[in-house]
Structure formats: C-alpha cells, structure tokens
Amino acid sequence: MSDKPSVLFVCVHNAGRSQMAAGWLRHLAGDTVEVRSAGSAPANQVNPAAVEAMREVGIDITDQTPKLLEWETAESSDVIVTMGCGDACPVFPGKRYEDWQLDDPAGKDVDAVRPIRDEIRARIEKLAGELAAGRTAG
C-alpha cells in the first residue's frame, strides 16, 4: 500500500470541472498525490473550452478521457471531491469528502470557463497544502 494520498474528483460528465481539478492537482502536487477523476455519466470527450482554459496556464489535459465512476476507484481513494454528481457518488465510511459547488463549464466558451478554472486552482492549492501537511505530520 502506498503512503501517497489518493484524490478522486467526481462530476457527472468527467469532462470539465473534474478534469481541470485533476490537471491542477497533478501540476501543483506532482507525484506526491495519486490523482483520479471520473463521472457518473461520462461524456465522449473533455470539454474543449476546459482544455483551452487549462492550456492558457500551461497545463495540458488533452490526453485525458472521461471515465465512468467505478465503486472500486471510490473505495480505494482517500479523498473524494464531488462536483455536482449528486446521489451517483458512493459514500464510504472513513473517507474524507468535499463537495465543491462550482459552475458547470458545459456549453460555455473559454471566457466563461476561465473564472471556473481559477476558482478550482484556489481550492486545489488549499487541498494540496492540507495533504502535504498531513503527510509530514505523520
């Protein structure tokens, strides 16, 4: 078992918010955190406006594909961050849960996605700091 914390980002389509959050955490935490993302009803592709908004800040998420949320993935994650998946998100005792209320970038242009991207970054910076503090406290 790895001592590296595992974070799962979940939204409905796994095409915008969760992909941007995963991109930010990979970028900011490097290999100190296992990063996962999934959706309760995955889209066919990552939202092009989300890809462009992340590209503008030097993060490439073009190689990511929306994935179906699987029970085992959630069960084996330490932190589960939900972003509007509602009752489709499984709940496991002992897991840390955060529910981030964020605008959905679906159907929006890149100008409308930038503020969502920036809000996600602020939340990821806080989460990454908490994960790093927890790792060094042990």
Side-chain angles (χ1 to χ4, degrees):
M1 178 182 277
S2 172
D3 61 351
K4 184 185 333 190
S6 176
V7 178
L8 172 63
F9 297 101
V10 184
C11 66
V12 175
H13 299 297
N14 189 221
R17 295 166 290 188
S18 56
Q19 293 288 355
M20 289 190 290
W24 275 121
L25 188 56
R26 282 186 200 98
H27 178 75
L28 295 171
D31 65 358
T32 65
V33 177
E34 182 180 4
V35 180
R36 305 165 170 179
S37 70
S40 54
N44 293 330
Q45 67 178 19
V46 176
N47 179 334
V51 170
E52 179 59 28
M54 294 300 284
R55 182 180 294 125
E56 290 176 353
V57 294
I59 300 172
D60 183 4
I61 60 171
T62 56
D63 64 340
Q64 299 302 306
T65 55
K67 294 172 235 21
L68 180 64
L69 174 63
E70 295 182 355
W71 186 268
E72 296 79 19
T73 304
E75 186 176 35
S76 64
S77 298
D78 299 307
V79 180
I80 300 174
V81 179
T82 58
M83 303 172 181
C85 67
D87 294 337
C89 293
V91 176
F92 295 96
K95 303 288 179 197
R96 174 179 168 184
Y97 285 89
E98 293 191 17
D99 184 38
W100 293 357
Q101 299 297 315
L102 297 161
D103 288 339
D104 187 348
K108 294 183 167 67
D109 65 19
V110 72
D111 289 333
V113 173
R114 286 185 191 111
I116 301 167
R117 173 202 65 199
D118 296 344
E119 183 176 349
I120 290 171
R121 179 185 181 144
R123 292 176 189 229
I124 292 295
E125 288 173 340
K126 180 178 184 288
L127 176 63
E130 291 168 357
L131 293 171
R135 206 172 39 255
T136 57

